[in-house]
Amino acid sequence: MLESPGPTERREPAITRQHVTPEPIDANEPWMRGLHADTGYLLYRLGLRSGQLFNAFLQESGLRLRHYAVLRFLATTEGALQRELSARLGYDPSAIVGLVDDLEKLGFAERRPAPDDRRSRIVVLTEDGRSFLRDTDEAGLRVTNELLGPLDAAEREALHALLLRIAEDGLN
């Protein structure tokens, strides 16, 4: 029969968690060359990195990149139905409800009766939401500059134009 430790005895866990700093990735390793030859994978990884950087900035406000996308969309309209936000941004309708709830709690957006159908509600950006977006413009620029640091101005412009062309065709 196994004895349990007494009140003063302390057992060390069999497995301890240690914070391990990952080694830098050598881009010349064969497995990395294969991944770096895949444009889709590179876009995926850069998208993840961009989101991580921007979310780190937004973390202070309690928002995430998805909230920011809703606010940016609302800044271009006089208001939008939640189903329109869902369709335009590519988010699940149930996710939009939660995102708008969060933005309302912060005073960045509000639901109002739709002018052409009083039974429907549109989501509109508030003045506090506009102010928040102005404040985040600099952070967005810092994230972009960090990601695109190796490129000169002409290369950045060309990359943006190409990505825009792909997005206009592939995200519609």
Side-chain angles (χ1 to χ4, degrees):
M1 185 160 118
L2 293 174
E3 293 183 30
S4 62
T8 57
E9 287 183 63
R10 185 171 171 220
R11 281 195 179 167
E12 289 297 317
I15 299 174
T16 59
R17 254 182 209 213
Q18 295 178 349
H19 178 70
V20 178
T21 304
E23 294 287 323
I25 295 173
D26 180 358
N28 292 316
E29 290 185 39
W31 65 274
M32 282 304 297
R33 284 195 306 270
L35 284 174
H36 285 181
D38 183 338
T39 303
Y41 175 78
L42 288 174
L43 287 170
Y44 166 76
R45 286 296 308 241
L46 289 170
L48 283 178
R49 184 67 183 135
S50 175
Q52 289 168 342
L53 291 170
F54 208 81
N55 278 330
F57 166 76
L58 290 172
Q59 189 173 18
E60 292 174 16
S61 66
L63 298 182
R64 306 280 297 161
L65 192 51
R66 298 180 120 210
H67 295 98
Y68 177 80
V70 171
L71 291 173
R72 272 285 164 219
F73 181 83
L74 292 174
T76 66
T77 68
E78 294 296 318
L81 296 170
Q82 287 182 174
R83 67 178 167 265
E84 181 183 5
L85 289 171
S86 173
R88 295 291 184 101
L89 296 173
Y91 295 165
D92 186 82
S94 62
I96 290 292
V97 172
L99 292 170
V100 173
D101 287 347
D102 294 343
L103 294 172
E104 272 193 316
K105 286 176 190 167
L106 291 168
F108 293 166
E110 62 185 23
R111 291 176 174 101
R112 296 181 184 161
D116 54 342
D117 181 359
R118 294 282 178 185
R119 294 171 298 172
S120 295
R121 316 256 314 145
I122 61 170
V123 182
V124 297
L125 188 64
T126 64
E127 195 50 49
D128 285 347
R130 287 186 198 290
S131 177
F132 177 80
L133 284 175
R134 282 191 297 273
D135 292 344
T136 60
D137 286 343
E138 185 179 321
L141 190 55
R142 283 195 313 264
V143 167
T144 299
N145 286 336
E146 184 170 333
L147 283 174
L148 303 182
L151 305 179
D152 65 32
E155 291 169 324
R156 288 178 184 208
E157 192 174 313
L159 176 63
H160 183 84
L162 292 169
L163 290 172
L164 188 59
R165 195 164 94 202
I166 293 167
E168 286 173 347
D169 185 57
L171 298 178
N172 290 329

